[in-house]
Amino acid sequence: MLRIAIQSKGRLHDESLQLLADADLRVSASKRALVAKVKNLDVELLFLRDDDIAPTVADGVADIGIVGLNEVEETGAAVERLMPLGFGGCRLSLAVPKDADYDGPSWFRGRKVATSYPRILEAYFRREGIRADIHVIAGSVEISPSIGLADAIFDIVSSGSTLVSNNLREVAVVMESEAWLVGSGRLDADRQALLDELLFRIRTVRSACGKKYVLMNVPRAHVPDVIRVLPGVKSPTVMPLADEDWCSVHTVLDEDRFWEIIGQLKACGAQGILVCPIEKMIL
Ligand code: PRT
Ligand code: ZN
């Protein structure tokens, strides 16, 4: 049996479960359970605090886990980094009061910095050759400068609105993070086979993510122009239509370039453009 540790509640919980559901792992979980069985594969889920996931994988109690890279770095847990998962994106940054006379990393020399990530911060200051006073607190780090507990903070930032509402200014990004699949690196053959299957399924789901299947009718004479515009998976499928002057062209488009490319296709005379979701893509 393969045991997967995921966050029991919090920012990564829903998307971790969604990813496993997209990979067709059917979970029979009651909300408060610590462990849940997957009904259709020999897999079990272990629900933990995010701080405990990497150490639990490192000591082999769980075989793999889904956890923020920030927690992997902070705990220093000896896990294998298997795959970034494309959610839970954030950065770990230093921030100072909005009107501080910040003039570069040396500003922190001798100052007090509040954080829940002392290990990552210590490594940063060591690299920069700065001695500062790292003050470890568990939560609400962002209020510590305003109550006189610290001169600056080192914390997770995503939109930046928490910093703004606490009159703080982000001055240095120390690391970028997102959710990763991590592993213990010591699986027997059966569990390795289960992990390989899971990795295959996750890759399949992730490669379809943000992509659309597009079908359109194009005047035969303009097919070469359309092909030049399309950045398809390999080359687009071109099929004849009953009307010999027209063809049907099928391809896959990235959602983030979608509007730009559709505009160019219309300019090439494409008509009847159909856009369909892609559930899975096996490359
Ligand atoms: O209870 P447990 O220990 O499991 O959870 P937790 O409260 O320690 O962690 P949780 O659920 O808050 O976050 C889990 C993981 O999500 C983190 O380890 C990061 O990898 C990732 N993540 C992504 C974030 C954020 N974005 C995030 N914005 N974690 C925390 N924040 C907080 C941050 O601490 C700050 O208070 O959001 C605030 C900043 O957000 P913005 O949008 O205002 O900049
Ligand atoms: Zn935590």
Side-chain angles (χ1 to χ4, degrees):
M1 190 198 36
L2 187 76
R3 194 184 262 173
I4 310 177
I6 69 168
Q7 197 186 18
S8 53
K9 56 181 168 47
R11 286 167 197 268
L12 302 182
H13 173 83
D14 289 352
E15 281 170 292
S16 301
L17 274 184
Q18 187 58 52
L19 179 76
L20 298 176
D22 290 344
D24 198 29
L25 269 65
R26 300 191 200 131
V27 184
S28 49
S30 86
K31 274 254 162 190
R32 292 223 204 110
L34 195 73
V35 185
K37 285 232 174 297
V38 171
K39 286 185 247 170
N40 56 337
L41 266 185
D42 201 8
V43 173
E44 186 175 82
L45 302 188
L46 197 58
F47 297 104
L48 299 175
R49 291 199 55 183
D50 70 339
D51 320 54
D52 297 332
I53 294 174
T56 304
V57 172
D59 66 21
V61 172
D63 301 306
I64 59 173
I66 297 177
V67 63
L69 194 61
N70 51 306
E71 290 296 337
V72 177
E73 291 276 332
E74 183 59 28
T75 56
V79 292
E80 261 184 12
R81 297 171 191 198
L82 298 171
M83 192 194 287
L85 298 173
F87 61 88
C90 58
R91 52 198 190 271
L92 273 165
S93 292
L94 281 155
V96 303
K98 201 173 61 189
D99 42 18
D101 55 348
Y102 182 81
D103 54 357
S106 61
W107 184 90
F108 291 103
R109 208 157 267 144
R111 307 226 192 212
K112 197 165 172 183
V113 185
T115 188
S116 312
Y117 293 92
R119 191 181 168 123
I120 297 172
L121 182 58
E122 213 175 284
Y124 170 78
F125 281 148
R126 205 176 316 123
R127 285 197 302 277
E128 294 287 327
I130 289 165
R131 269 176 192 274
D133 176 10
I134 297 175
H135 187 73
V136 184
I137 53 177
S140 304
V141 170
E142 64 279 1
I143 62 165
S144 41
S146 65
I147 60 171
L149 198 64
D151 301 305
I153 68 162
F154 176 62
D155 201 7
I156 292 179
V157 182
S158 53
S159 67
S161 62
T162 302
L163 294 184
V164 171
S165 58
N166 285 281
N167 291 317
L168 296 167
R169 177 160 62 99
E170 187 176 5
V171 292
V173 177
V174 172
M175 80 169 275
E176 306 272 358
S177 179
E178 69 180 285
W180 272 70
L181 192 68
V182 297
S184 68
R186 6 185 188 104
L187 301 185
D188 58 26
D190 287 348
R191 284 181 298 169
Q192 186 63 46
L194 280 168
L195 173 57
D196 290 344
E197 172 67 20
L198 182 65
L199 288 171
F200 169 70
R201 291 187 186 188
I202 292 176
R203 270 190 211 107
T204 301
V205 174
R206 297 226 337 111
S207 29
C209 179
K211 293 206 161 53
K212 298 285 181 211
Y213 194 75
V214 181
L215 306 85
M216 73 205 90
N217 293 336
V218 179
R220 183 177 290 279
H222 292 175
V223 168
D225 304 335
V226 164
I227 290 175
R228 257 193 303 278
V229 169
L230 291 177
V233 174
K234 277 211 177 97
S235 71
T237 306
V238 180
M239 287 186 289
L241 290 180
D243 179 341
E244 284 181 5
D245 292 336
W246 286 78
C247 290
S248 173
V249 177
H250 300 198
T251 195
V252 173
L253 284 187
D254 275 331
E255 208 154 19
D256 49 6
R257 292 194 56 204
F258 181 77
W259 290 110
E260 168 201 339
I261 290 170
I262 290 294
Q264 294 177 38
L265 293 174
K266 280 167 66 186
C268 294
Q271 291 182 5
I273 303 174
L274 280 183
V275 182
C276 310
I278 300 174
E279 192 177 319
K280 299 187 176 68
M281 199 154 93
I282 297 154
L283 295 171

